[in-house]
């Protein structure tokens, strides 16, 4: 018997469709006093979405994330490598897969770190921020981003100018919400006052924050509450230190990982992560899950901004949401284990006024 043959192109060109149960996985969290809601876990495209990784592997991670309810993707002008390539690749995925879901997505970008040569390719001038926002929109093929950030405080440009540029981007319809990243508590309060006076409140702060680097607890979280701003914690896993990746490493044979963690893989830090891992196991969690759950406890971050190089990492990290409650004894234990400077506040200088 002969079977009718169908052209394989019919299947190949069938558009990707997201999982129908994607919003049944967890609740979404309000960002400060704004109308914006974020998933408890968001995905950042800093490191694994440039031209260093295949397009197919990137697309697999992004599709999987969206299927599992992660509708916030965080970018910046300089993400890659090379700088700009993550936004370009994301634009390609948007055109191919996510265009029908644009109104469900929260897409962010930023400017503040070095992007192009000359005096106007870095920091916080109006000239840099406005030009960079346009370039980011063009790379991604978007009319607007949902959140645009000043990526770091600029000690030489008047804060009024930097925050004024964010206000202009909102008025031009190029950003729906604006925020700041790695600003100190003091600068955050000043920036928030300026923004409120302009009529475009800063809704969100993006600081580095994890169990080994809790600098935000010394003033910034309080300021954010006072200013009714939300927060999204980046580098929640200390770039892999707070996972099972380095548990069996000895200081002598320390391997370094994707970025140089040589200085961070000290005997003291390895001791800390092993103790944290023991605690995680008593809670039925992996170390990565403990680290993420801890950031989602009451009064900490609105959303946790992870990086991932595989869908397996993503799934493990999403498993953190099964238990985000902590007893006071557990919190005390974590504070005792993690006390002392672990030397991983990589963005400290950008938060200094
Ligand atoms: P991170 O979550 O601390 O580290 C992510 C890395 O940890 C992954 O790339 C992966 O390393 C490893 N990892 C993740 N889950 C794992 C698991 N379950 N088991 C083992 N290893 C695991 O975050 P990050 O990459 O430093 O930053 C996350 C996002 O924050 C960025 O993409 C970006 O959006 C944002 N960010 C913002 C700023 C800022 O200045 N505002 C600065 C940095 C980052 P491998 O890739 O080696 O597998």
């Amino acid at each position: 018997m002969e079977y009718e043959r169908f052209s394989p192109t019919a299947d190949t060109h069938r558009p990707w469709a997201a999982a129908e149960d994607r919003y049944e996985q967890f609740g979404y969290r309000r960002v400060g006093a704004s109308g914006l809601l974020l998933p408890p876990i968001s995905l950042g495209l800093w490191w694994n979405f440039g031209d260093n990784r295949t397009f197919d592997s990137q697309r697999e991670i992004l599709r999987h994330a969206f299927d599992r309810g992660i509708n916030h993707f965080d970018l910046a002008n300089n993400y890659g490598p090379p700088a700009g390539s993550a936004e370009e690749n994301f634009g390609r995925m948007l055109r191919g897969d996510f265009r029908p879901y644009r109104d469900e997505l929260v897409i962010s970008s930023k400017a503040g770190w070095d992007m192009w040569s000359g005096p106007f390719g870095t920091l916080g001038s109006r000239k840099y921020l406005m030009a960079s926002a346009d370039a980011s929109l063009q790379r991604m093929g978007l009319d607007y981003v949902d959140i645009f950030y000043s990526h770091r405080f600029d000690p030489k440009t008047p804060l009024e100018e930097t925050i004024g540029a964010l206000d202009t981007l909102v008025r031009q319809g190029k950003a729906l919400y604006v925020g700041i990243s790695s600003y100190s508590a003091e600068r955050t309060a000043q920036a928030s006052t300026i923004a409120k006076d302009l009529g475009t409140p800063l809704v969100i702060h993006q600081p580095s924050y994890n169990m080994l680097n809790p600098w935000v607890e010394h003033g910034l979280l309080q300021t954010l509450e006072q200013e009714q701003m939300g927060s999204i914690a980046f580098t929640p896993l200390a770039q892999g230190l707070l996972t099972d990746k380095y548990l069996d490493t000895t200081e002598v044979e320390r391997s370094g990982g994707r970025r140089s963690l040589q200085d961070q893989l000290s005997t003291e830090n390895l001791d800390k992560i092993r103790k944290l891992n023991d605690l995680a196991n008593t809670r039925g969690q992996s170390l990565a899950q403990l680290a993420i759950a801890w950031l989602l406890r009451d009064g900490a971050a609105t959303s946790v901004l992870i990086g991932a190089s595989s869908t397996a990492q993503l799934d493990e990290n999403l498993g953190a949401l099964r238990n985000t409650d902590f007893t006071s004894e557990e919190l005390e234990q974590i504070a005792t284990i993690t006390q002392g400077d672990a030397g991983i506040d990589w963005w400290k200088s950008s938060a200094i006024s």
Side-chain angles (χ1 to χ4, degrees), residues 265-320:
L265 289 167
S266 60
T267 309
E268 292 77 28
N269 284 355
L270 289 169
D271 183 52
K272 285 178 188 178
I273 61 175
R274 283 177 195 133
K275 285 182 176 150
L276 289 171
N277 186 55
D278 290 343
L279 174 62
N281 291 343
T282 64
R283 288 168 48 87
Q285 291 182 313
S286 68
L287 178 52
Q289 290 170 341
L290 173 79
I292 292 168
W294 180 81
L295 285 167
L296 289 168
R297 74 199 189 281
D298 275 348
T302 312
S303 183
V304 174
L305 181 52
I306 59 164
S309 60
S310 67
T311 54
Q313 286 182 356
L314 202 61
D315 283 335
E316 179 186 339
N317 298 348
L318 280 163

Side-chain angles (χ1 to χ4, degrees), residues 44 46 74 181 206 234-235 237 239 245 309 313 316-317:
W46 172 34
D74 179 73
S181 178
Q206 187 175 128
F234 76 76
T235 309
L237 303 177
Q239 299 190 358
K245 221 178 218 177
S309 60
Q313 286 182 356
E316 179 186 339
N317 298 348

Side-chain angles (χ1 to χ4, degrees), residues 5-39:
R5 296 176 75 95
F6 293 95
S7 157
T9 52
D11 223 19
T12 315
H13 291 292
R14 192 171 55 199
W16 174 72
E20 286 184 5
D21 64 351
R22 61 190 177 280
Y23 292 113
E24 288 160 29
Q25 324 243 350
F26 44 70
Y28 291 74
R29 296 158 67 108
R30 186 163 300 278
V31 178
S34 76
L36 186 63
L37 298 166
L38 287 181

Side-chain angles (χ1 to χ4, degrees), residues 124-198:
S125 67
R126 170 175 283 271
K127 185 161 170 67
Y128 175 44
L129 264 52
M130 303 298 295
S132 183
D134 279 342
S136 289
L137 291 175
Q138 202 169 11
R139 280 191 288 268
M140 292 189 277
L142 289 172
D143 299 328
Y144 68 92
V145 286
D146 298 275
I147 309 171
F148 193 84
Y149 291 92
S150 159
H151 210 158
R152 60 170 165 165
F153 175 70
D154 177 349
K156 299 230 169 95
T157 297
L159 197 50
E160 287 76 5
E161 179 175 330
T162 304
I163 304 305
L166 297 181
D167 169 68
T168 305
L169 288 170
V170 171
R171 287 177 197 281
Q172 290 181 338
K174 293 175 182 172
L176 301 187
Y177 298 93
V178 283
I180 52 180
S181 178
S182 298
Y183 279 48
S184 67
E186 189 195 353
R187 292 302 183 191
T188 298
Q190 290 168 357
S192 177
T193 301
I194 295 165
K196 280 181 190 153
D197 287 348
L198 290 167

Side-chain angles (χ1 to χ4, degrees), residues 40-184:
I41 294 180
S42 303
L43 181 65
L45 278 68
W46 172 34
W47 202 253
N48 291 305
F49 298 86
D51 293 344
N52 55 337
R53 298 288 307 268
T54 67
F55 183 74
D56 283 351
S57 72
Q58 301 180 21
R59 188 169 56 185
E60 187 191 10
I61 295 171
L62 247 72
R63 284 179 172 181
H64 191 67
F66 192 62
D67 275 345
R68 297 225 42 203
I70 297 180
N71 64 340
H72 176 30
F73 299 129
D74 179 73
L75 294 109
N77 56 357
N78 60 340
Y79 289 0
S85 61
E87 288 185 333
E88 274 167 13
N89 291 331
F90 180 70
R92 220 177 127 195
M93 290 185 261
L94 202 56
R95 283 191 297 282
D97 287 346
F98 293 104
R99 186 59 74 185
Y101 306 102
R102 174 64 186 100
D103 293 338
E104 298 178 32
L105 290 172
V106 178
I107 302 167
S108 55
S109 188
K110 328 181 185 77
W113 292 94
D114 298 355
M115 189 58 196
W116 60 81
S117 313
F120 303 119
T122 189
L123 288 162
S125 67
R126 170 175 283 271
K127 185 161 170 67
Y128 175 44
L129 264 52
M130 303 298 295
S132 183
D134 279 342
S136 289
L137 291 175
Q138 202 169 11
R139 280 191 288 268
M140 292 189 277
L142 289 172
D143 299 328
Y144 68 92
V145 286
D146 298 275
I147 309 171
F148 193 84
Y149 291 92
S150 159
H151 210 158
R152 60 170 165 165
F153 175 70
D154 177 349
K156 299 230 169 95
T157 297
L159 197 50
E160 287 76 5
E161 179 175 330
T162 304
I163 304 305
L166 297 181
D167 169 68
T168 305
L169 288 170
V170 171
R171 287 177 197 281
Q172 290 181 338
K174 293 175 182 172
L176 301 187
Y177 298 93
V178 283
I180 52 180
S181 178
S182 298
Y183 279 48
S184 67

